[in-house]
Amino acid sequence: MVQLYMGDGKGKTCAAAGAALRAAGSGIPVIFGQFLKDSGSGEIQVLRRLPGLTLLHTPHHFGFFDRQTEAQKDVTKAESRELFREAVRRCRTEISGARKPNTGSVPAEGPACMLVLDEIAAAFRYGLLEEPEVLDAMRSLLPETEIILTGRDPSPGLMGLADYISEIRKVRHPYDLGVTARRGVER
């Protein structure tokens, strides 16, 4: 199944982190890839220490994509594509390891892997990933993989793939009053 957490409200990554926590606590391997973010947020620091959870980030973070130089954008694009491909490789390895001997099937009690792609909607919006390649790869992982997607303004392709869609809408936010992200609350 595919879950999509979308919208302009706070909490999409936290929802994905909660799903990852639940899966890891149930013994399901989790591959958690983050696009366009550094690895400094509080929930990521905790997830990094969870057994059974692999956290993937791009080696470089240059800040907001629309403020990057063309050279930085090229690096971000290349590293984002490699992050996605590595996440898919790792999921396939987990699926292979979960198959029952002599049957080739994955046990029915739950997914063999959870793949979290945080801010994948933004990665599509900025052209960091090729949508057909990504959607084909995600389809190839189903039904053995639970896939969690996040981001604002997801593409019609992402929305069409999703079994669950939760919209997180901003009604009010301190940022609108000039309050920057606070450690332990918004980051």
Side-chain angles (χ1 to χ4, degrees), residues 3 6 13 23-24 32 44 54 66-67 69 72 82 85 93 96 113 115 117-119 127 138 145 153 158 162 182 184:
Q3 301 178 37
M6 59 177 266
T13 298
F32 197 111
I44 298 304
T54 302
D66 55 358
R67 296 181 190 162
T69 66
Q72 290 170 329
E82 181 51 35
R85 291 173 182 147
T93 299
S96 294
C113 183
L115 173 62
L117 298 171
D118 188 33
E119 292 297 346
M138 285 193 281
T145 303
D153 303 317
L158 285 178
R182 299 166 293 156

mmCIF file of all heavy atoms in Angstrom, residues 3 6 13 23-24 32 44 54 66-67 69 72 82 85 93 96 113 115 117-119 127 138 145 153 158 162 182 184:
data_model
loop_
_atom_site.group_PDB
_atom_site.id
_atom_site.type_symbol
_atom_site.label_atom_id
_atom_site.label_comp_id
_atom_site.label_asym_id
_atom_site.label_seq_id
_atom_site.Cartn_x
_atom_site.Cartn_y
_atom_site.Cartn_z
ATOM 1 N N GLN A 3 0.949 5.292 1.175
ATOM 2 C CA GLN A 3 0.363 6.359 1.981
ATOM 3 C C GLN A 3 0.990 7.681 1.560
ATOM 4 O O GLN A 3 2.210 7.770 1.415
ATOM 5 C CB GLN A 3 0.647 6.135 3.467
ATOM 6 C CG GLN A 3 0.124 4.831 4.020
ATOM 7 C CD GLN A 3 0.470 4.653 5.481
ATOM 8 O OE1 GLN A 3 0.468 5.602 6.255
ATOM 9 N NE2 GLN A 3 0.780 3.423 5.864
ATOM 10 N N MET A 6 0.230 14.945 2.559
ATOM 11 C CA MET A 6 0.427 16.108 1.699
ATOM 12 C C MET A 6 -0.178 17.353 2.341
ATOM 13 O O MET A 6 -0.922 17.267 3.303
ATOM 14 C CB MET A 6 -0.234 15.875 0.349
ATOM 15 C CG MET A 6 -1.737 15.613 0.456
ATOM 16 S SD MET A 6 -2.536 15.415 -1.130
ATOM 17 C CE MET A 6 -3.089 17.083 -1.401
ATOM 18 N N THR A 13 6.238 15.148 7.866
ATOM 19 C CA THR A 13 7.406 14.329 8.209
ATOM 20 C C THR A 13 7.184 13.619 9.539
ATOM 21 O O THR A 13 7.557 12.450 9.688
ATOM 22 C CB THR A 13 8.680 15.192 8.250
ATOM 23 O OG1 THR A 13 8.894 15.745 6.956
ATOM 24 C CG2 THR A 13 9.898 14.376 8.665
ATOM 25 N N ALA A 23 6.408 0.666 12.326
ATOM 26 C CA ALA A 23 6.903 -0.466 11.544
ATOM 27 C C ALA A 23 8.155 -1.068 12.191
ATOM 28 O O ALA A 23 8.244 -2.285 12.355
ATOM 29 C CB ALA A 23 7.199 -0.026 10.113
ATOM 30 N N ALA A 24 9.117 -0.214 12.544
ATOM 31 C CA ALA A 24 10.353 -0.715 13.166
ATOM 32 C C ALA A 24 10.045 -1.443 14.470
ATOM 33 O O ALA A 24 10.643 -2.487 14.760
ATOM 34 C CB ALA A 24 11.331 0.435 13.395
ATOM 35 N N PHE A 32 14.340 4.943 5.180
ATOM 36 C CA PHE A 32 13.788 6.298 5.321
ATOM 37 C C PHE A 32 14.693 7.258 4.564
ATOM 38 O O PHE A 32 15.792 7.562 4.997
ATOM 39 C CB PHE A 32 13.735 6.669 6.810
ATOM 40 C CG PHE A 32 12.849 7.818 7.156
ATOM 41 C CD1 PHE A 32 11.693 7.617 7.880
ATOM 42 C CD2 PHE A 32 13.167 9.121 6.790
ATOM 43 C CE1 PHE A 32 10.865 8.669 8.232
ATOM 44 C CE2 PHE A 32 12.351 10.184 7.128
ATOM 45 C CZ PHE A 32 11.192 9.963 7.850
ATOM 46 N N ILE A 44 14.507 12.906 13.277
ATOM 47 C CA ILE A 44 15.511 12.153 12.521
ATOM 48 C C ILE A 44 16.622 11.678 13.448
ATOM 49 O O ILE A 44 17.135 10.565 13.300
ATOM 50 C CB ILE A 44 16.051 12.992 11.349
ATOM 51 C CG1 ILE A 44 14.918 13.319 10.379
ATOM 52 C CG2 ILE A 44 17.201 12.305 10.652
ATOM 53 C CD1 ILE A 44 14.163 12.124 9.837
ATOM 54 N N THR A 54 17.012 2.279 8.425
ATOM 55 C CA THR A 54 18.133 2.843 7.683
ATOM 56 C C THR A 54 17.733 4.226 7.212
ATOM 57 O O THR A 54 16.723 4.370 6.528
ATOM 58 C CB THR A 54 18.486 1.964 6.472
ATOM 59 O OG1 THR A 54 18.800 0.653 6.935
ATOM 60 C CG2 THR A 54 19.655 2.543 5.699
ATOM 61 N N ASP A 66 15.336 26.676 -4.487
ATOM 62 C CA ASP A 66 15.214 27.851 -5.350
ATOM 63 C C ASP A 66 16.258 28.922 -5.052
ATOM 64 O O ASP A 66 16.381 29.889 -5.800
ATOM 65 C CB ASP A 66 13.800 28.432 -5.309
ATOM 66 C CG ASP A 66 13.315 28.760 -3.914
ATOM 67 O OD1 ASP A 66 14.039 28.510 -2.933
ATOM 68 O OD2 ASP A 66 12.186 29.276 -3.809
ATOM 69 N N ARG A 67 17.047 28.734 -4.020
ATOM 70 C CA ARG A 67 18.132 29.669 -3.700
ATOM 71 C C ARG A 67 19.509 29.093 -4.036
ATOM 72 O O ARG A 67 20.530 29.738 -3.788
ATOM 73 C CB ARG A 67 18.085 30.045 -2.222
ATOM 74 C CG ARG A 67 16.816 30.794 -1.853
ATOM 75 C CD ARG A 67 16.798 31.174 -0.402
ATOM 76 N NE ARG A 67 15.494 31.682 -0.026
ATOM 77 C CZ ARG A 67 15.065 31.770 1.209
ATOM 78 N NH1 ARG A 67 15.838 31.402 2.212
ATOM 79 N NH2 ARG A 67 13.861 32.231 1.464
ATOM 80 N N THR A 69 22.685 27.735 -6.348
ATOM 81 C CA THR A 69 23.314 28.067 -7.627
ATOM 82 C C THR A 69 23.036 26.931 -8.605
ATOM 83 O O THR A 69 22.629 25.832 -8.202
ATOM 84 C CB THR A 69 24.838 28.226 -7.467
ATOM 85 O OG1 THR A 69 25.401 26.946 -7.128
ATOM 86 C CG2 THR A 69 25.201 29.260 -6.400
ATOM 87 N N GLN A 72 25.056 23.928 -7.609
ATOM 88 C CA GLN A 72 24.481 23.244 -6.456
ATOM 89 C C GLN A 72 23.242 22.450 -6.853
ATOM 90 O O GLN A 72 23.038 21.327 -6.387
ATOM 91 C CB GLN A 72 24.137 24.252 -5.360
ATOM 92 C CG GLN A 72 25.354 24.861 -4.700
ATOM 93 C CD GLN A 72 25.007 26.026 -3.788
ATOM 94 O OE1 GLN A 72 24.046 26.764 -3.997
ATOM 95 N NE2 GLN A 72 25.825 26.202 -2.744
ATOM 96 N N GLU A 82 20.511 9.320 -6.838
ATOM 97 C CA GLU A 82 21.238 8.209 -6.214
ATOM 98 C C GLU A 82 20.572 7.793 -4.907
ATOM 99 O O GLU A 82 20.484 6.606 -4.607
ATOM 100 C CB GLU A 82 22.703 8.565 -5.992
ATOM 101 C CG GLU A 82 23.514 7.449 -5.372
ATOM 102 C CD GLU A 82 23.381 6.098 -6.079
ATOM 103 O OE1 GLU A 82 23.247 6.050 -7.319
ATOM 104 O OE2 GLU A 82 23.396 5.062 -5.369
ATOM 105 N N ARG A 85 17.552 5.640 -5.823
ATOM 106 C CA ARG A 85 17.965 4.328 -6.333
ATOM 107 C C ARG A 85 18.522 3.441 -5.221
ATOM 108 O O ARG A 85 18.263 2.232 -5.187
ATOM 109 C CB ARG A 85 18.969 4.501 -7.469
ATOM 110 C CG ARG A 85 18.304 5.096 -8.707
ATOM 111 C CD ARG A 85 19.275 5.452 -9.795
ATOM 112 N NE ARG A 85 18.567 6.057 -10.917
ATOM 113 C CZ ARG A 85 19.074 6.989 -11.690
ATOM 114 N NH1 ARG A 85 20.312 7.405 -11.518
ATOM 115 N NH2 ARG A 85 18.356 7.497 -12.666
ATOM 116 N N THR A 93 16.464 -5.725 -1.371
ATOM 117 C CA THR A 93 17.249 -6.654 -0.558
ATOM 118 C C THR A 93 16.432 -7.152 0.627
ATOM 119 O O THR A 93 16.436 -8.348 0.938
ATOM 120 C CB THR A 93 18.545 -5.969 -0.071
ATOM 121 O OG1 THR A 93 19.316 -5.596 -1.220
ATOM 122 C CG2 THR A 93 19.350 -6.877 0.828
ATOM 123 N N SER A 96 13.809 -9.637 -0.608
ATOM 124 C CA SER A 96 14.434 -10.933 -0.915
ATOM 125 C C SER A 96 14.705 -11.722 0.351
ATOM 126 O O SER A 96 14.491 -12.933 0.393
ATOM 127 C CB SER A 96 15.734 -10.730 -1.680
ATOM 128 O OG SER A 96 15.475 -10.181 -2.937
ATOM 129 N N CYS A 113 8.999 -4.695 3.971
ATOM 130 C CA CYS A 113 9.811 -3.492 4.102
ATOM 131 C C CYS A 113 8.887 -2.277 4.101
ATOM 132 O O CYS A 113 7.793 -2.333 3.542
ATOM 133 C CB CYS A 113 10.782 -3.407 2.924
ATOM 134 S SG CYS A 113 11.922 -2.004 2.963
ATOM 135 N N LEU A 115 9.196 1.744 2.978
ATOM 136 C CA LEU A 115 10.003 2.750 2.302
ATOM 137 C C LEU A 115 9.359 4.104 2.532
ATOM 138 O O LEU A 115 8.211 4.324 2.138
ATOM 139 C CB LEU A 115 10.082 2.453 0.802
ATOM 140 C CG LEU A 115 10.766 3.503 -0.069
ATOM 141 C CD1 LEU A 115 12.226 3.686 0.337
ATOM 142 C CD2 LEU A 115 10.650 3.119 -1.534
ATOM 143 N N LEU A 117 9.671 8.081 1.709
ATOM 144 C CA LEU A 117 10.297 9.048 0.810
ATOM 145 C C LEU A 117 9.785 10.431 1.200
ATOM 146 O O LEU A 117 8.763 10.904 0.687
ATOM 147 C CB LEU A 117 9.977 8.693 -0.646
ATOM 148 C CG LEU A 117 10.506 7.319 -1.082
ATOM 149 C CD1 LEU A 117 9.964 6.936 -2.444
ATOM 150 C CD2 LEU A 117 12.029 7.290 -1.064
ATOM 151 N N ASP A 118 10.504 11.031 2.133
ATOM 152 C CA ASP A 118 10.110 12.318 2.697
ATOM 153 C C ASP A 118 10.474 13.445 1.733
ATOM 154 O O ASP A 118 11.609 13.516 1.268
ATOM 155 C CB ASP A 118 10.819 12.503 4.046
ATOM 156 C CG ASP A 118 10.341 13.716 4.805
ATOM 157 O OD1 ASP A 118 9.154 14.065 4.701
ATOM 158 O OD2 ASP A 118 11.168 14.315 5.526
ATOM 159 N N GLU A 119 9.513 14.288 1.442
ATOM 160 C CA GLU A 119 9.648 15.422 0.505
ATOM 161 C C GLU A 119 9.844 14.976 -0.937
ATOM 162 O O GLU A 119 10.428 15.696 -1.748
ATOM 163 C CB GLU A 119 10.767 16.381 0.932
ATOM 164 C CG GLU A 119 10.465 17.128 2.205
ATOM 165 C CD GLU A 119 9.256 18.066 2.130
ATOM 166 O OE1 GLU A 119 8.772 18.374 1.024
ATOM 167 O OE2 GLU A 119 8.797 18.486 3.193
ATOM 168 N N GLY A 127 12.183 18.802 -10.367
ATOM 169 C CA GLY A 127 12.811 18.031 -11.430
ATOM 170 C C GLY A 127 14.026 17.229 -10.991
ATOM 171 O O GLY A 127 14.879 16.892 -11.812
ATOM 172 N N MET A 138 8.444 2.198 -7.696
ATOM 173 C CA MET A 138 7.543 2.005 -6.552
ATOM 174 C C MET A 138 6.543 0.889 -6.838
ATOM 175 O O MET A 138 6.297 0.041 -5.977
ATOM 176 C CB MET A 138 6.842 3.312 -6.188
ATOM 177 C CG MET A 138 7.774 4.287 -5.478
ATOM 178 S SD MET A 138 6.927 5.668 -4.699
ATOM 179 C CE MET A 138 6.630 6.735 -6.092
ATOM 180 N N THR A 145 6.054 -4.002 -0.087
ATOM 181 C CA THR A 145 6.577 -2.812 0.578
ATOM 182 C C THR A 145 5.451 -1.831 0.887
ATOM 183 O O THR A 145 4.631 -1.547 0.024
ATOM 184 C CB THR A 145 7.620 -2.112 -0.314
ATOM 185 O OG1 THR A 145 8.647 -3.043 -0.622
ATOM 186 C CG2 THR A 145 8.235 -0.914 0.371
ATOM 187 N N ASP A 153 1.939 19.795 -2.558
ATOM 188 C CA ASP A 153 1.586 19.775 -3.986
ATOM 189 C C ASP A 153 2.114 18.547 -4.724
ATOM 190 O O ASP A 153 2.887 18.661 -5.687
ATOM 191 C CB ASP A 153 2.100 21.043 -4.678
ATOM 192 C CG ASP A 153 1.569 22.308 -4.017
ATOM 193 O OD1 ASP A 153 0.377 22.338 -3.682
ATOM 194 O OD2 ASP A 153 2.362 23.258 -3.843
ATOM 195 N N LEU A 158 1.779 10.764 -8.252
ATOM 196 C CA LEU A 158 1.907 10.313 -6.857
ATOM 197 C C LEU A 158 0.532 10.110 -6.237
ATOM 198 O O LEU A 158 0.289 9.125 -5.534
ATOM 199 C CB LEU A 158 2.704 11.318 -6.027
ATOM 200 C CG LEU A 158 4.206 11.364 -6.237
ATOM 201 C CD1 LEU A 158 4.839 12.442 -5.365
ATOM 202 C CD2 LEU A 158 4.848 10.013 -5.951
ATOM 203 N N ALA A 162 -1.352 6.482 -4.677
ATOM 204 C CA ALA A 162 -1.634 6.382 -3.242
ATOM 205 C C ALA A 162 -2.933 5.640 -2.942
ATOM 206 O O ALA A 162 -3.950 5.851 -3.595
ATOM 207 C CB ALA A 162 -1.679 7.776 -2.632
ATOM 208 N N ARG A 182 11.705 26.455 15.511
ATOM 209 C CA ARG A 182 12.309 26.269 16.834
ATOM 210 C C ARG A 182 12.799 24.832 16.991
ATOM 211 O O ARG A 182 12.116 23.895 16.621
ATOM 212 C CB ARG A 182 11.280 26.584 17.925
ATOM 213 C CG ARG A 182 10.798 28.036 17.852
ATOM 214 C CD ARG A 182 9.550 28.270 18.694
ATOM 215 N NE ARG A 182 8.444 27.536 18.098
ATOM 216 C CZ ARG A 182 7.369 27.137 18.774
ATOM 217 N NH1 ARG A 182 7.244 27.409 20.050
ATOM 218 N NH2 ARG A 182 6.402 26.464 18.169
ATOM 219 N N GLY A 184 13.367 21.338 18.299
ATOM 220 C CA GLY A 184 12.535 20.457 19.094
ATOM 221 C C GLY A 184 11.036 20.638 18.889
ATOM 222 O O GLY A 184 10.239 19.881 19.412
#
